[in-house]
Amino acid sequence: ALPVDLKVVEERTVGPDLGADSISKGLVGMLVGTVALMTFIIITYGRFGVYACIALVVNVLMILGVMAVANTTLTLPGIAGFVLTIGAAVDANVLINERIREERARGRRVVQSVELGYKEASRAIFDANITNVIAAVLMFLIGSGPVRGFAVVLMIGIVTSVFTAVTMTRMWVAGWLRKARPSEIHI
């Protein structure tokens, strides 16, 4: 303690309106960001973008479902982990679609392009997410409180995002390819 007198220069009281306003603006920002992201993905990747957007929605529902079953609370650090995993899910879908695009540019047939695109992109996706899981486990073991909450949501989100991006979209694309047998894809 320092021998200094405390002199109040300014004092303010914050009411619940400030928190409600922040939540309202956050929801609007989230809605605008989500619509912009999904619009961009659909415009960029067409049918494959639609599959990616559906997978993102399923991913969010799966994360919330696992958290509900585990009776966990979504805290501010948890929301940060949530947002990070959504970004990872978008990234995984972009990697897959760009890899398919590259295979088509190399002159491969549609089915072969899709197969190689998923196979090659999956390696990079698994590698990146394994390092994220290692980091999340370390944060959970070493960290406390908010850091552990972030780590839990991150681990749940990594598992669900890999599942939805790699497995679900692949299943939907394979079903469409079997049914439509397209000679060309627009991706």
Side-chain angles (χ1 to χ4, degrees):
L2 297 172
V4 177
D5 292 334
L6 178 64
K7 181 180 175 188
V8 177
V9 176
E10 184 178 350
E11 183 177 337
R12 292 185 187 191
T13 304
V14 177
D17 293 344
L18 181 64
D21 188 46
S22 296
I23 290 171
S24 173
K25 287 181 180 178
L27 289 173
V28 169
M30 181 181 71
L31 182 65
V32 169
T34 301
V35 169
L37 174 74
M38 289 186 165
T39 302
F40 177 75
I41 291 173
I42 291 170
I43 289 170
T44 304
Y45 299 115
R47 173 181 291 276
F48 291 76
V50 171
Y51 294 147
C53 288
I54 295 169
L56 286 173
V57 171
V58 171
N59 184 30
V60 167
L61 294 175
M62 286 177 68
I63 293 170
L64 293 174
V66 169
M67 289 180 69
V69 168
N71 200 25
T72 58
T73 305
L74 191 59
T75 60
L76 192 57
I79 292 171
F82 197 90
V83 170
L84 184 63
T85 60
I86 298 304
V90 170
D91 182 52
N93 283 296
V94 168
L95 284 172
I96 290 166
N97 291 330
E98 287 298 324
R99 188 65 188 175
I100 293 169
R101 189 180 276 174
E102 287 174 13
E103 295 301 329
R104 283 298 292 154
R106 290 183 179 146
R108 299 197 195 283
R109 289 176 288 133
V110 171
V111 173
Q112 190 179 24
S113 295
V114 170
E115 210 167 292
L116 281 170
Y118 271 96
K119 181 181 175 188
E120 296 300 320
S122 294
R123 289 183 195 166
I125 292 165
F126 285 126
D127 287 348
N129 285 301
I130 286 170
T131 59
N132 279 338
V133 167
I134 291 169
V137 167
L138 290 173
M139 283 189 283
F140 184 81
L141 294 174
I142 296 170
S144 63
V147 175
R148 291 183 103 181
F150 175 80
V152 167
V153 176
L154 184 62
M155 284 188 278
I156 293 168
I158 288 168
V159 172
T160 60
S161 68
V162 168
F163 174 74
T164 56
V166 175
T167 306
M168 289 184 80
T169 61
R170 187 178 205 162
M171 177 185 69
W172 295 332
V173 169
W176 173 71
L177 288 174
R178 262 188 249 112
K179 191 160 98 175
R181 298 199 184 277
S183 59
E184 185 58 47
I185 54 174
H186 303 285
I187 188 166

